[in-house]
Amino acid sequence: SANMIQVQFSKANNAPLAAALSVSSLMIVAFISIVFVLINRKYLGGIKLSRASKYLKIFAYTYLIFLYAPALLLHIFSFNSSQIISFPLTGFTTYWFERLLYQETLHEAFKNSMIVEFLNILATTLGVLASRSSTRYNFTGKQISLTFILAPLVLPEIIVGVSLLTVLIQLGLSLNLWSVVLGHTLLIMPFSILIMNSAFNNLDISLEEASMDLGENQIGTFFRIILPLVFTGIMASLLI
C-alpha cells in the first residue's frame, strides 16, 4: 500500500486517492493495535505503570502527536473533490474512498500483505523457540548460532536481499509470494529473538521449578506457565 500511495502522489498525480488510501491503512493499523490492547487487558489485566512509567507514557504520546500531526493534515484532502492539494477545499466528497473499492491492484496487494503478515507467526514461533533455548540452556555452539541468526540485524538489507535472491535462483526455486514470506521471516526473526530474549530473561525461573515440583511435565509447564508469562513479548513480536 505504501508503494501505491507513492505512485498516486508522484506518477498519477492523484493526491486525494493517495490520501484516502492513507486513511484506510491508518484505520487498519489502529484497529489491529486496539485488538492487541484489548487482548492484553482482558487476559493479562493490563500492565500496571509506575509513576516514572506514566511520565514516560505522556512523553511518548506527545512525541507521537508531534510526529504524526502533519500527516493527519493530508487526510483532510481525501475528502476534497479536487485532485489539487490546496486550501480552501473545493467541495466535500467520499468519491476517492469509493474508488478504492475498484482498485484491483490494491486488492491484490492487500491480500498478499495479509498473507505475509499472517505467516509472521512463523517468525515469531521460531523466535520464541530460539530465545527459550538460548536463555534457559547452555549448549555447544550457542554463541556462534545466535551470531549467525542475528546477523541480518547488522548487515545492510540490500546485501541480505541479494544473497537470498542468489540462493533461491541457484536452488531453482520460483520467485513468488512464498519467497517473500521466506525473506520476511529471515529479516523479522532476529527482532523477534531480541524481544523474546528480554521477556524470557525477566521470567522468574522459580515459577517453572514450582510447576515441575507439582508434577507438571516440561511441555505442560511451557504452555501453561511460561507462555502466558511472556505473552506481552509475543504480542510485541507479532506487531513487527
Side-chain angles (χ1 to χ4, degrees):
S1 59
N3 291 334
M4 293 193 63
I5 294 173
Q6 182 181 3
V7 168
Q8 292 299 327
F9 265 116
S10 59
K11 297 182 179 180
N13 196 24
N14 195 343
L17 182 60
L21 182 57
S22 301
V23 173
S24 302
S25 301
L26 182 62
M27 292 177 63
I28 293 174
V29 173
F31 174 77
I32 295 175
S33 301
I34 291 173
V35 170
F36 279 112
V37 169
L38 293 178
I39 291 175
N40 175 59
R41 290 182 177 179
K42 181 176 181 179
Y43 294 101
L44 300 178
I47 300 177
K48 296 182 179 180
L49 300 177
S50 63
R51 186 173 182 179
S53 299
K54 291 180 180 179
Y55 287 122
L56 180 61
K57 184 177 181 180
I58 294 175
F59 171 78
Y61 283 144
T62 304
Y63 173 77
L64 291 175
I65 292 174
F66 176 80
L67 184 64
Y68 289 105
L72 295 177
L73 183 64
L74 173 64
H75 300 158
I76 297 177
F77 294 102
S78 65
F79 299 98
N80 188 20
S81 58
S82 174
Q83 295 188 12
I84 302 175
I85 299 180
S86 63
F87 284 106
L89 303 180
T90 58
F92 179 85
T93 182
T94 59
Y95 169 75
W96 306 113
F97 290 94
E98 297 173 4
R99 283 277 304 274
L100 294 178
L101 299 177
Y102 303 100
Q103 297 287 328
E104 295 297 332
T105 305
L106 172 62
H107 299 165
E108 186 68 19
F110 179 78
K111 182 186 71 174
N112 292 337
S113 297
M114 290 297 100
I115 293 175
V116 173
E117 288 302 321
F118 177 77
L119 293 177
N120 185 34
I121 296 175
L122 174 61
T124 299
T125 302
L126 295 175
V128 169
L129 297 178
S131 298
R132 173 60 179 170
S133 61
S134 64
T135 56
R136 183 66 176 85
Y137 305 103
N138 291 318
F139 51 89
T140 304
K142 172 181 174 180
Q143 294 300 328
I144 297 177
S145 301
L146 284 177
T147 300
F148 278 106
I149 293 175
L150 298 178
L153 290 174
V154 296
L155 293 175
E157 294 182 357
I158 184 63
I159 294 179
V160 178
V162 171
S163 300
L164 180 61
L165 176 62
T166 302
V167 171
L168 292 176
I169 293 176
Q170 291 298 323
L171 292 176
L173 300 177
S174 59
L175 302 180
N176 50 30
L177 185 60
W178 294 106
S179 60
V180 175
V181 172
L182 179 61
H184 189 266
T185 301
L186 179 65
L187 292 174
I188 294 301
M189 190 170 66
F191 293 96
S192 177
I193 291 176
L194 291 180
I195 294 174
M196 295 311 303
N197 274 347
S198 176
F200 281 118
N201 285 329
N202 293 327
L203 184 65
D204 188 359
I205 194 174
S206 62
L207 297 176
E208 178 184 353
E209 295 173 347
S211 175
M212 300 287 288
D213 291 339
L214 293 174
E216 186 60 89
N217 56 36
Q218 291 185 348
I219 297 178
T221 298
F222 180 75
F223 284 101
R224 296 180 181 178
I225 304 298
I226 297 175
L227 282 187
L229 292 175
V230 298
F231 187 72
T232 53
I234 296 175
M235 291 296 101
S237 178
L238 288 173
L239 285 174
I240 297 179

